[in-house]
Amino acid sequence: MADKDAEVTFKKDTVSKLLSSFYKEDKTRISGEAALLMAEMLRIFVQEAAVRSQKQAGNEDCDQVGIEHFEKILPQLLLDF
């Protein structure tokens, strides 16, 4: 089972490669600081999605969080970010 206190992180290189896959020009680059900032944004987004999904499952008296709980919170989550 996963440790509840474990911090989720995204590697800077992974974020850079993910972002570069959407560049329209090959000349476009991302700085190291921008990649770190985007990694932090992704971490916060994922953490918030998990918390909201857990609250949704609790509101429905469910013991486990399922994809249906995530699907219910996703529209508002996207609007908030």
Side-chain angles (χ1 to χ4, degrees):
M1 181 146 309
D3 185 11
K4 291 183 180 181
D5 296 330
E7 185 74 20
V8 175
T9 58
F10 292 91
K11 294 180 182 177
K12 183 177 83 167
D13 293 337
T14 304
V15 173
S16 294
K17 288 179 183 178
L18 178 66
L19 291 173
S20 67
S21 69
F22 292 99
Y23 295 160
K24 293 181 180 179
E25 296 182 22
D26 292 335
K27 296 179 188 178
T28 307
R29 301 282 181 247
I30 184 170
S31 71
E33 289 180 353
L36 288 174
L37 180 61
M38 190 63 199
E40 180 65 11
M41 289 282 297
L42 284 171
R43 185 191 68 77
I44 293 169
F45 183 82
V46 169
Q47 184 177 16
E48 186 67 22
V51 169
R52 291 185 188 194
S53 296
Q54 184 179 20
K55 285 182 182 178
Q56 182 66 33
N59 290 342
E60 296 177 8
D61 295 326
C62 295
D63 294 335
Q64 293 183 337
V65 177
I67 190 70
E68 64 274 4
H69 301 113
F70 176 71
E71 289 171 347
K72 288 179 182 176
I73 62 98
L74 187 58
Q76 187 62 47
L77 180 68
L78 292 173
L79 287 173
D80 291 344
F81 273 82

PDB file of all heavy atoms in Angstrom, residues 2-41:
ATOM      1  N   ALA A   2       0.469   2.284  -0.643  1.00  0.00           N
ATOM      2  CA  ALA A   2       1.244   3.518  -0.744  1.00  0.00           C
ATOM      3  C   ALA A   2       1.266   4.259   0.587  1.00  0.00           C
ATOM      4  O   ALA A   2       0.317   4.220   1.357  1.00  0.00           O
ATOM      5  CB  ALA A   2       0.658   4.411  -1.826  1.00  0.00           C
ATOM      6  N   ASP A   3       2.392   4.905   0.850  1.00  0.00           N
ATOM      7  CA  ASP A   3       2.546   5.702   2.056  1.00  0.00           C
ATOM      8  C   ASP A   3       1.714   6.971   1.931  1.00  0.00           C
ATOM      9  O   ASP A   3       1.829   7.697   0.956  1.00  0.00           O
ATOM     10  CB  ASP A   3       4.029   6.044   2.247  1.00  0.00           C
ATOM     11  CG  ASP A   3       4.295   6.768   3.544  1.00  0.00           C
ATOM     12  OD1 ASP A   3       3.392   6.830   4.400  1.00  0.00           O
ATOM     13  OD2 ASP A   3       5.422   7.271   3.716  1.00  0.00           O
ATOM     14  N   LYS A   4       0.891   7.261   2.921  1.00  0.00           N
ATOM     15  CA  LYS A   4      -0.004   8.416   2.848  1.00  0.00           C
ATOM     16  C   LYS A   4       0.754   9.739   2.891  1.00  0.00           C
ATOM     17  O   LYS A   4       0.261  10.746   2.429  1.00  0.00           O
ATOM     18  CB  LYS A   4      -1.026   8.366   3.986  1.00  0.00           C
ATOM     19  CG  LYS A   4      -2.030   7.253   3.834  1.00  0.00           C
ATOM     20  CD  LYS A   4      -3.052   7.295   4.932  1.00  0.00           C
ATOM     21  CE  LYS A   4      -4.044   6.166   4.746  1.00  0.00           C
ATOM     22  NZ  LYS A   4      -5.082   6.168   5.758  1.00  0.00           N
ATOM     23  N   ASP A   5       1.955   9.743   3.470  1.00  0.00           N
ATOM     24  CA  ASP A   5       2.734  10.970   3.577  1.00  0.00           C
ATOM     25  C   ASP A   5       3.692  11.152   2.413  1.00  0.00           C
ATOM     26  O   ASP A   5       4.435  12.127   2.381  1.00  0.00           O
ATOM     27  CB  ASP A   5       3.527  10.970   4.891  1.00  0.00           C
ATOM     28  CG  ASP A   5       2.600  10.985   6.107  1.00  0.00           C
ATOM     29  OD1 ASP A   5       1.500  11.545   5.995  1.00  0.00           O
ATOM     30  OD2 ASP A   5       2.988  10.442   7.155  1.00  0.00           O
ATOM     31  N   ALA A   6       3.699  10.247   1.459  1.00  0.00           N
ATOM     32  CA  ALA A   6       4.608  10.341   0.323  1.00  0.00           C
ATOM     33  C   ALA A   6       4.225  11.527  -0.556  1.00  0.00           C
ATOM     34  O   ALA A   6       3.059  11.754  -0.835  1.00  0.00           O
ATOM     35  CB  ALA A   6       4.587   9.052  -0.486  1.00  0.00           C
ATOM     36  N   GLU A   7       5.236  12.268  -0.961  1.00  0.00           N
ATOM     37  CA  GLU A   7       5.028  13.441  -1.813  1.00  0.00           C
ATOM     38  C   GLU A   7       5.136  13.029  -3.276  1.00  0.00           C
ATOM     39  O   GLU A   7       6.101  12.396  -3.675  1.00  0.00           O
ATOM     40  CB  GLU A   7       6.087  14.507  -1.496  1.00  0.00           C
ATOM     41  CG  GLU A   7       5.903  15.791  -2.217  1.00  0.00           C
ATOM     42  CD  GLU A   7       4.756  16.628  -1.693  1.00  0.00           C
ATOM     43  OE1 GLU A   7       4.334  16.421  -0.550  1.00  0.00           O
ATOM     44  OE2 GLU A   7       4.288  17.493  -2.438  1.00  0.00           O
ATOM     45  N   VAL A   8       4.148  13.369  -4.057  1.00  0.00           N
ATOM     46  CA  VAL A   8       4.149  13.078  -5.487  1.00  0.00           C
ATOM     47  C   VAL A   8       4.884  14.207  -6.188  1.00  0.00           C
ATOM     48  O   VAL A   8       4.641  15.377  -5.925  1.00  0.00           O
ATOM     49  CB  VAL A   8       2.719  12.954  -6.027  1.00  0.00           C
ATOM     50  CG1 VAL A   8       2.711  12.775  -7.525  1.00  0.00           C
ATOM     51  CG2 VAL A   8       1.995  11.817  -5.338  1.00  0.00           C
ATOM     52  N   THR A   9       5.800  13.851  -7.081  1.00  0.00           N
ATOM     53  CA  THR A   9       6.532  14.857  -7.845  1.00  0.00           C
ATOM     54  C   THR A   9       6.590  14.442  -9.303  1.00  0.00           C
ATOM     55  O   THR A   9       6.404  13.279  -9.638  1.00  0.00           O
ATOM     56  CB  THR A   9       7.972  15.023  -7.320  1.00  0.00           C
ATOM     57  OG1 THR A   9       8.641  13.763  -7.398  1.00  0.00           O
ATOM     58  CG2 THR A   9       7.992  15.526  -5.895  1.00  0.00           C
ATOM     59  N   PHE A  10       6.845  15.418 -10.150  1.00  0.00           N
ATOM     60  CA  PHE A  10       7.037  15.174 -11.574  1.00  0.00           C
ATOM     61  C   PHE A  10       8.456  15.591 -11.921  1.00  0.00           C
ATOM     62  O   PHE A  10       8.913  16.661 -11.506  1.00  0.00           O
ATOM     63  CB  PHE A  10       6.032  15.988 -12.407  1.00  0.00           C
ATOM     64  CG  PHE A  10       4.615  15.534 -12.256  1.00  0.00           C
ATOM     65  CD1 PHE A  10       3.791  16.076 -11.296  1.00  0.00           C
ATOM     66  CD2 PHE A  10       4.115  14.547 -13.089  1.00  0.00           C
ATOM     67  CE1 PHE A  10       2.483  15.654 -11.156  1.00  0.00           C
ATOM     68  CE2 PHE A  10       2.803  14.119 -12.961  1.00  0.00           C
ATOM     69  CZ  PHE A  10       1.994  14.667 -11.992  1.00  0.00           C
ATOM     70  N   LYS A  11       9.139  14.765 -12.681  1.00  0.00           N
ATOM     71  CA  LYS A  11      10.504  15.082 -13.079  1.00  0.00           C
ATOM     72  C   LYS A  11      10.509  16.216 -14.098  1.00  0.00           C
ATOM     73  O   LYS A  11       9.653  16.267 -14.981  1.00  0.00           O
ATOM     74  CB  LYS A  11      11.183  13.855 -13.679  1.00  0.00           C
ATOM     75  CG  LYS A  11      11.388  12.747 -12.688  1.00  0.00           C
ATOM     76  CD  LYS A  11      12.067  11.566 -13.347  1.00  0.00           C
ATOM     77  CE  LYS A  11      12.218  10.431 -12.366  1.00  0.00           C
ATOM     78  NZ  LYS A  11      12.810   9.251 -12.987  1.00  0.00           N
ATOM     79  N   LYS A  12      11.484  17.101 -13.958  1.00  0.00           N
ATOM     80  CA  LYS A  12      11.599  18.251 -14.853  1.00  0.00           C
ATOM     81  C   LYS A  12      11.760  17.800 -16.297  1.00  0.00           C
ATOM     82  O   LYS A  12      11.139  18.358 -17.214  1.00  0.00           O
ATOM     83  CB  LYS A  12      12.781  19.116 -14.434  1.00  0.00           C
ATOM     84  CG  LYS A  12      12.950  20.367 -15.262  1.00  0.00           C
ATOM     85  CD  LYS A  12      14.085  21.224 -14.775  1.00  0.00           C
ATOM     86  CE  LYS A  12      15.370  20.692 -15.348  1.00  0.00           C
ATOM     87  NZ  LYS A  12      16.503  21.610 -15.188  1.00  0.00           N
ATOM     88  N   ASP A  13      12.560  16.751 -16.534  1.00  0.00           N
ATOM     89  CA  ASP A  13      12.782  16.262 -17.894  1.00  0.00           C
ATOM     90  C   ASP A  13      11.499  15.700 -18.506  1.00  0.00           C
ATOM     91  O   ASP A  13      11.219  15.905 -19.690  1.00  0.00           O
ATOM     92  CB  ASP A  13      13.872  15.188 -17.917  1.00  0.00           C
ATOM     93  CG  ASP A  13      15.236  15.754 -17.564  1.00  0.00           C
ATOM     94  OD1 ASP A  13      15.434  16.981 -17.736  1.00  0.00           O
ATOM     95  OD2 ASP A  13      16.097  14.984 -17.118  1.00  0.00           O
ATOM     96  N   THR A  14      10.720  15.005 -17.703  1.00  0.00           N
ATOM     97  CA  THR A  14       9.459  14.443 -18.188  1.00  0.00           C
ATOM     98  C   THR A  14       8.491  15.554 -18.591  1.00  0.00           C
ATOM     99  O   THR A  14       7.855  15.482 -19.644  1.00  0.00           O
ATOM    100  CB  THR A  14       8.818  13.552 -17.108  1.00  0.00           C
ATOM    101  OG1 THR A  14       9.747  12.553 -16.717  1.00  0.00           O
ATOM    102  CG2 THR A  14       7.542  12.908 -17.602  1.00  0.00           C
ATOM    103  N   VAL A  15       8.404  16.577 -17.763  1.00  0.00           N
ATOM    104  CA  VAL A  15       7.526  17.709 -18.066  1.00  0.00           C
ATOM    105  C   VAL A  15       8.006  18.419 -19.328  1.00  0.00           C
ATOM    106  O   VAL A  15       7.195  18.785 -20.187  1.00  0.00           O
ATOM    107  CB  VAL A  15       7.456  18.673 -16.864  1.00  0.00           C
ATOM    108  CG1 VAL A  15       6.702  19.936 -17.215  1.00  0.00           C
ATOM    109  CG2 VAL A  15       6.804  17.989 -15.668  1.00  0.00           C
ATOM    110  N   SER A  16       9.305  18.618 -19.455  1.00  0.00           N
ATOM    111  CA  SER A  16       9.856  19.286 -20.641  1.00  0.00           C
ATOM    112  C   SER A  16       9.528  18.509 -21.910  1.00  0.00           C
ATOM    113  O   SER A  16       9.129  19.091 -22.927  1.00  0.00           O
ATOM    114  CB  SER A  16      11.368  19.430 -20.513  1.00  0.00           C
ATOM    115  OG  SER A  16      11.689  20.298 -19.467  1.00  0.00           O
ATOM    116  N   LYS A  17       9.691  17.192 -21.862  1.00  0.00           N
ATOM    117  CA  LYS A  17       9.391  16.366 -23.038  1.00  0.00           C
ATOM    118  C   LYS A  17       7.902  16.377 -23.354  1.00  0.00           C
ATOM    119  O   LYS A  17       7.504  16.409 -24.521  1.00  0.00           O
ATOM    120  CB  LYS A  17       9.881  14.944 -22.827  1.00  0.00           C
ATOM    121  CG  LYS A  17      11.387  14.830 -22.876  1.00  0.00           C
ATOM    122  CD  LYS A  17      11.851  13.417 -22.651  1.00  0.00           C
ATOM    123  CE  LYS A  17      13.372  13.358 -22.643  1.00  0.00           C
ATOM    124  NZ  LYS A  17      13.855  12.007 -22.374  1.00  0.00           N
ATOM    125  N   LEU A  18       7.087  16.342 -22.329  1.00  0.00           N
ATOM    126  CA  LEU A  18       5.637  16.396 -22.535  1.00  0.00           C
ATOM    127  C   LEU A  18       5.235  17.705 -23.202  1.00  0.00           C
ATOM    128  O   LEU A  18       4.470  17.701 -24.177  1.00  0.00           O
ATOM    129  CB  LEU A  18       4.911  16.238 -21.199  1.00  0.00           C
ATOM    130  CG  LEU A  18       3.398  16.313 -21.229  1.00  0.00           C
ATOM    131  CD1 LEU A  18       2.830  15.127 -21.990  1.00  0.00           C
ATOM    132  CD2 LEU A  18       2.836  16.358 -19.832  1.00  0.00           C
ATOM    133  N   LEU A  19       5.744  18.809 -22.707  1.00  0.00           N
ATOM    134  CA  LEU A  19       5.417  20.115 -23.289  1.00  0.00           C
ATOM    135  C   LEU A  19       5.961  20.248 -24.706  1.00  0.00           C
ATOM    136  O   LEU A  19       5.289  20.780 -25.585  1.00  0.00           O
ATOM    137  CB  LEU A  19       5.965  21.237 -22.412  1.00  0.00           C
ATOM    138  CG  LEU A  19       5.282  21.417 -21.061  1.00  0.00           C
ATOM    139  CD1 LEU A  19       6.024  22.449 -20.232  1.00  0.00           C
ATOM    140  CD2 LEU A  19       3.839  21.804 -21.230  1.00  0.00           C
ATOM    141  N   SER A  20       7.169  19.758 -24.930  1.00  0.00           N
ATOM    142  CA  SER A  20       7.773  19.902 -26.260  1.00  0.00           C
ATOM    143  C   SER A  20       7.027  19.091 -27.323  1.00  0.00           C
ATOM    144  O   SER A  20       7.118  19.400 -28.506  1.00  0.00           O
ATOM    145  CB  SER A  20       9.245  19.515 -26.226  1.00  0.00           C
ATOM    146  OG  SER A  20       9.396  18.140 -25.963  1.00  0.00           O
ATOM    147  N   SER A  21       6.296  18.080 -26.909  1.00  0.00           N
ATOM    148  CA  SER A  21       5.533  17.291 -27.879  1.00  0.00           C
ATOM    149  C   SER A  21       4.388  18.101 -28.499  1.00  0.00           C
ATOM    150  O   SER A  21       3.846  17.709 -29.530  1.00  0.00           O
ATOM    151  CB  SER A  21       4.997  16.016 -27.238  1.00  0.00           C
ATOM    152  OG  SER A  21       4.001  16.318 -26.290  1.00  0.00           O
ATOM    153  N   PHE A  22       4.044  19.234 -27.887  1.00  0.00           N
ATOM    154  CA  PHE A  22       2.965  20.080 -28.397  1.00  0.00           C
ATOM    155  C   PHE A  22       3.466  21.323 -29.131  1.00  0.00           C
ATOM    156  O   PHE A  22       2.671  22.128 -29.586  1.00  0.00           O
ATOM    157  CB  PHE A  22       2.035  20.509 -27.254  1.00  0.00           C
ATOM    158  CG  PHE A  22       1.261  19.369 -26.687  1.00  0.00           C
ATOM    159  CD1 PHE A  22       1.676  18.742 -25.523  1.00  0.00           C
ATOM    160  CD2 PHE A  22       0.116  18.903 -27.316  1.00  0.00           C
ATOM    161  CE1 PHE A  22       0.970  17.679 -24.994  1.00  0.00           C
ATOM    162  CE2 PHE A  22      -0.598  17.842 -26.788  1.00  0.00           C
ATOM    163  CZ  PHE A  22      -0.164  17.227 -25.624  1.00  0.00           C
ATOM    164  N   TYR A  23       4.781  21.498 -29.218  1.00  0.00           N
ATOM    165  CA  TYR A  23       5.328  22.661 -29.922  1.00  0.00           C
ATOM    166  C   TYR A  23       5.062  22.550 -31.404  1.00  0.00           C
ATOM    167  O   TYR A  23       5.179  21.485 -31.992  1.00  0.00           O
ATOM    168  CB  TYR A  23       6.838  22.777 -29.705  1.00  0.00           C
ATOM    169  CG  TYR A  23       7.265  23.040 -28.283  1.00  0.00           C
ATOM    170  CD1 TYR A  23       8.557  22.762 -27.882  1.00  0.00           C
ATOM    171  CD2 TYR A  23       6.400  23.568 -27.341  1.00  0.00           C
ATOM    172  CE1 TYR A  23       8.975  22.998 -26.586  1.00  0.00           C
ATOM    173  CE2 TYR A  23       6.807  23.800 -26.053  1.00  0.00           C
ATOM    174  CZ  TYR A  23       8.092  23.518 -25.681  1.00  0.00           C
ATOM    175  OH  TYR A  23       8.495  23.759 -24.396  1.00  0.00           O
ATOM    176  N   LYS A  24       4.718  23.680 -32.020  1.00  0.00           N
ATOM    177  CA  LYS A  24       4.465  23.688 -33.458  1.00  0.00           C
ATOM    178  C   LYS A  24       5.752  23.887 -34.247  1.00  0.00           C
ATOM    179  O   LYS A  24       5.856  23.446 -35.379  1.00  0.00           O
ATOM    180  CB  LYS A  24       3.458  24.787 -33.807  1.00  0.00           C
ATOM    181  CG  LYS A  24       2.087  24.501 -33.248  1.00  0.00           C
ATOM    182  CD  LYS A  24       1.094  25.564 -33.607  1.00  0.00           C
ATOM    183  CE  LYS A  24      -0.262  25.211 -33.006  1.00  0.00           C
ATOM    184  NZ  LYS A  24      -1.271  26.202 -33.293  1.00  0.00           N
ATOM    185  N   GLU A  25       6.740  24.539 -33.625  1.00  0.00           N
ATOM    186  CA  GLU A  25       8.021  24.765 -34.282  1.00  0.00           C
ATOM    187  C   GLU A  25       9.119  24.041 -33.521  1.00  0.00           C
ATOM    188  O   GLU A  25       9.102  23.992 -32.284  1.00  0.00           O
ATOM    189  CB  GLU A  25       8.331  26.259 -34.337  1.00  0.00           C
ATOM    190  CG  GLU A  25       7.363  27.056 -35.183  1.00  0.00           C
ATOM    191  CD  GLU A  25       7.745  28.527 -35.245  1.00  0.00           C
ATOM    192  OE1 GLU A  25       8.921  28.845 -35.009  1.00  0.00           O
ATOM    193  OE2 GLU A  25       6.862  29.331 -35.526  1.00  0.00           O
ATOM    194  N   ASP A  26      10.085  23.498 -34.238  1.00  0.00           N
ATOM    195  CA  ASP A  26      11.180  22.775 -33.600  1.00  0.00           C
ATOM    196  C   ASP A  26      12.107  23.704 -32.823  1.00  0.00           C
ATOM    197  O   ASP A  26      12.837  23.256 -31.935  1.00  0.00           O
ATOM    198  CB  ASP A  26      11.994  22.009 -34.650  1.00  0.00           C
ATOM    199  CG  ASP A  26      11.191  20.862 -35.258  1.00  0.00           C
ATOM    200  OD1 ASP A  26      10.269  20.372 -34.584  1.00  0.00           O
ATOM    201  OD2 ASP A  26      11.496  20.470 -36.403  1.00  0.00           O
ATOM    202  N   LYS A  27      12.088  24.985 -33.137  1.00  0.00           N
ATOM    203  CA  LYS A  27      12.965  25.954 -32.481  1.00  0.00           C
ATOM    204  C   LYS A  27      12.499  26.308 -31.065  1.00  0.00           C
ATOM    205  O   LYS A  27      13.268  26.833 -30.280  1.00  0.00           O
ATOM    206  CB  LYS A  27      13.037  27.240 -33.305  1.00  0.00           C
ATOM    207  CG  LYS A  27      13.655  27.077 -34.658  1.00  0.00           C
ATOM    208  CD  LYS A  27      13.646  28.404 -35.392  1.00  0.00           C
ATOM    209  CE  LYS A  27      14.081  28.249 -36.825  1.00  0.00           C
ATOM    210  NZ  LYS A  27      14.023  29.537 -37.544  1.00  0.00           N
ATOM    211  N   THR A  28      11.259  26.047 -30.759  1.00  0.00           N
ATOM    212  CA  THR A  28      10.692  26.419 -29.463  1.00  0.00           C
ATOM    213  C   THR A  28      11.360  25.619 -28.354  1.00  0.00           C
ATOM    214  O   THR A  28      11.525  24.410 -28.452  1.00  0.00           O
ATOM    215  CB  THR A  28       9.179  26.171 -29.437  1.00  0.00           C
ATOM    216  OG1 THR A  28       8.583  26.830 -30.553  1.00  0.00           O
ATOM    217  CG2 THR A  28       8.561  26.677 -28.160  1.00  0.00           C
ATOM    218  N   ARG A  29      11.752  26.332 -27.294  1.00  0.00           N
ATOM    219  CA  ARG A  29      12.402  25.704 -26.143  1.00  0.00           C
ATOM    220  C   ARG A  29      11.704  26.148 -24.858  1.00  0.00           C
ATOM    221  O   ARG A  29      11.025  27.162 -24.830  1.00  0.00           O
ATOM    222  CB  ARG A  29      13.887  26.091 -26.077  1.00  0.00           C
ATOM    223  CG  ARG A  29      14.680  25.703 -27.294  1.00  0.00           C
ATOM    224  CD  ARG A  29      15.006  24.216 -27.249  1.00  0.00           C
ATOM    225  NE  ARG A  29      15.794  23.843 -28.413  1.00  0.00           N
ATOM    226  CZ  ARG A  29      15.366  23.051 -29.372  1.00  0.00           C
ATOM    227  NH1 ARG A  29      14.158  22.549 -29.310  1.00  0.00           N
ATOM    228  NH2 ARG A  29      16.131  22.732 -30.382  1.00  0.00           N
ATOM    229  N   ILE A  30      11.928  25.391 -23.790  1.00  0.00           N
ATOM    230  CA  ILE A  30      11.406  25.743 -22.478  1.00  0.00           C
ATOM    231  C   ILE A  30      12.585  25.838 -21.515  1.00  0.00           C
ATOM    232  O   ILE A  30      13.493  24.998 -21.549  1.00  0.00           O
ATOM    233  CB  ILE A  30      10.357  24.722 -21.995  1.00  0.00           C
ATOM    234  CG1 ILE A  30       9.746  25.164 -20.678  1.00  0.00           C
ATOM    235  CG2 ILE A  30      10.938  23.340 -21.898  1.00  0.00           C
ATOM    236  CD1 ILE A  30       8.550  24.360 -20.245  1.00  0.00           C
ATOM    237  N   SER A  31      12.590  26.865 -20.677  1.00  0.00           N
ATOM    238  CA  SER A  31      13.680  27.023 -19.713  1.00  0.00           C
ATOM    239  C   SER A  31      13.506  26.037 -18.562  1.00  0.00           C
ATOM    240  O   SER A  31      12.415  25.498 -18.336  1.00  0.00           O
ATOM    241  CB  SER A  31      13.709  28.455 -19.177  1.00  0.00           C
ATOM    242  OG  SER A  31      12.610  28.686 -18.328  1.00  0.00           O
ATOM    243  N   GLY A  32      14.569  25.818 -17.836  1.00  0.00           N
ATOM    244  CA  GLY A  32      14.518  24.924 -16.684  1.00  0.00           C
ATOM    245  C   GLY A  32      13.555  25.405 -15.617  1.00  0.00           C
ATOM    246  O   GLY A  32      12.834  24.612 -15.007  1.00  0.00           O
ATOM    247  N   GLU A  33      13.529  26.714 -15.403  1.00  0.00           N
ATOM    248  CA  GLU A  33      12.621  27.284 -14.404  1.00  0.00           C
ATOM    249  C   GLU A  33      11.165  27.118 -14.814  1.00  0.00           C
ATOM    250  O   GLU A  33      10.303  26.844 -13.981  1.00  0.00           O
ATOM    251  CB  GLU A  33      12.943  28.756 -14.180  1.00  0.00           C
ATOM    252  CG  GLU A  33      14.251  28.977 -13.453  1.00  0.00           C
ATOM    253  CD  GLU A  33      14.550  30.453 -13.249  1.00  0.00           C
ATOM    254  OE1 GLU A  33      13.805  31.295 -13.781  1.00  0.00           O
ATOM    255  OE2 GLU A  33      15.535  30.744 -12.554  1.00  0.00           O
ATOM    256  N   ALA A  34      10.888  27.279 -16.094  1.00  0.00           N
ATOM    257  CA  ALA A  34       9.515  27.103 -16.580  1.00  0.00           C
ATOM    258  C   ALA A  34       9.080  25.650 -16.427  1.00  0.00           C
ATOM    259  O   ALA A  34       7.922  25.375 -16.081  1.00  0.00           O
ATOM    260  CB  ALA A  34       9.405  27.534 -18.030  1.00  0.00           C
ATOM    261  N   ALA A  35       9.986  24.723 -16.678  1.00  0.00           N
ATOM    262  CA  ALA A  35       9.664  23.296 -16.517  1.00  0.00           C
ATOM    263  C   ALA A  35       9.394  22.973 -15.052  1.00  0.00           C
ATOM    264  O   ALA A  35       8.469  22.209 -14.736  1.00  0.00           O
ATOM    265  CB  ALA A  35      10.791  22.435 -17.061  1.00  0.00           C
ATOM    266  N   LEU A  36      10.183  23.546 -14.144  1.00  0.00           N
ATOM    267  CA  LEU A  36       9.952  23.329 -12.711  1.00  0.00           C
ATOM    268  C   LEU A  36       8.614  23.923 -12.270  1.00  0.00           C
ATOM    269  O   LEU A  36       7.894  23.319 -11.478  1.00  0.00           O
ATOM    270  CB  LEU A  36      11.082  23.939 -11.891  1.00  0.00           C
ATOM    271  CG  LEU A  36      12.414  23.208 -11.950  1.00  0.00           C
ATOM    272  CD1 LEU A  36      13.492  24.003 -11.211  1.00  0.00           C
ATOM    273  CD2 LEU A  36      12.286  21.815 -11.362  1.00  0.00           C
ATOM    274  N   LEU A  37       8.283  25.088 -12.806  1.00  0.00           N
ATOM    275  CA  LEU A  37       7.006  25.722 -12.483  1.00  0.00           C
ATOM    276  C   LEU A  37       5.841  24.871 -12.982  1.00  0.00           C
ATOM    277  O   LEU A  37       4.853  24.659 -12.269  1.00  0.00           O
ATOM    278  CB  LEU A  37       6.934  27.120 -13.086  1.00  0.00           C
ATOM    279  CG  LEU A  37       5.655  27.903 -12.835  1.00  0.00           C
ATOM    280  CD1 LEU A  37       5.446  28.134 -11.354  1.00  0.00           C
ATOM    281  CD2 LEU A  37       5.690  29.216 -13.585  1.00  0.00           C
ATOM    282  N   MET A  38       5.955  24.362 -14.185  1.00  0.00           N
ATOM    283  CA  MET A  38       4.898  23.512 -14.741  1.00  0.00           C
ATOM    284  C   MET A  38       4.776  22.207 -13.950  1.00  0.00           C
ATOM    285  O   MET A  38       3.661  21.714 -13.721  1.00  0.00           O
ATOM    286  CB  MET A  38       5.192  23.225 -16.216  1.00  0.00           C
ATOM    287  CG  MET A  38       4.058  22.574 -16.924  1.00  0.00           C
ATOM    288  SD  MET A  38       2.636  23.669 -16.955  1.00  0.00           S
ATOM    289  CE  MET A  38       1.358  22.506 -17.283  1.00  0.00           C
ATOM    290  N   ALA A  39       5.895  21.655 -13.508  1.00  0.00           N
ATOM    291  CA  ALA A  39       5.867  20.439 -12.687  1.00  0.00           C
ATOM    292  C   ALA A  39       5.134  20.697 -11.378  1.00  0.00           C
ATOM    293  O   ALA A  39       4.353  19.855 -10.913  1.00  0.00           O
ATOM    294  CB  ALA A  39       7.289  19.946 -12.422  1.00  0.00           C
ATOM    295  N   GLU A  40       5.352  21.865 -10.786  1.00  0.00           N
ATOM    296  CA  GLU A  40       4.651  22.223  -9.551  1.00  0.00           C
ATOM    297  C   GLU A  40       3.158  22.400  -9.808  1.00  0.00           C
ATOM    298  O   GLU A  40       2.323  21.975  -9.008  1.00  0.00           O
ATOM    299  CB  GLU A  40       5.255  23.500  -8.962  1.00  0.00           C
ATOM    300  CG  GLU A  40       4.605  23.953  -7.680  1.00  0.00           C
ATOM    301  CD  GLU A  40       4.791  23.011  -6.510  1.00  0.00           C
ATOM    302  OE1 GLU A  40       5.605  22.072  -6.592  1.00  0.00           O
ATOM    303  OE2 GLU A  40       4.099  23.203  -5.494  1.00  0.00           O
ATOM    304  N   MET A  41       2.807  23.007 -10.921  1.00  0.00           N
ATOM    305  CA  MET A  41       1.393  23.154 -11.278  1.00  0.00           C
ATOM    306  C   MET A  41       0.724  21.784 -11.460  1.00  0.00           C
ATOM    307  O   MET A  41      -0.400  21.571 -11.009  1.00  0.00           O
ATOM    308  CB  MET A  41       1.240  23.969 -12.566  1.00  0.00           C
ATOM    309  CG  MET A  41       1.565  25.429 -12.433  1.00  0.00           C
ATOM    310  SD  MET A  41       0.258  26.357 -11.652  1.00  0.00           S
ATOM    311  CE  MET A  41      -1.055  26.159 -12.816  1.00  0.00           C
TER     312      MET A  41
END
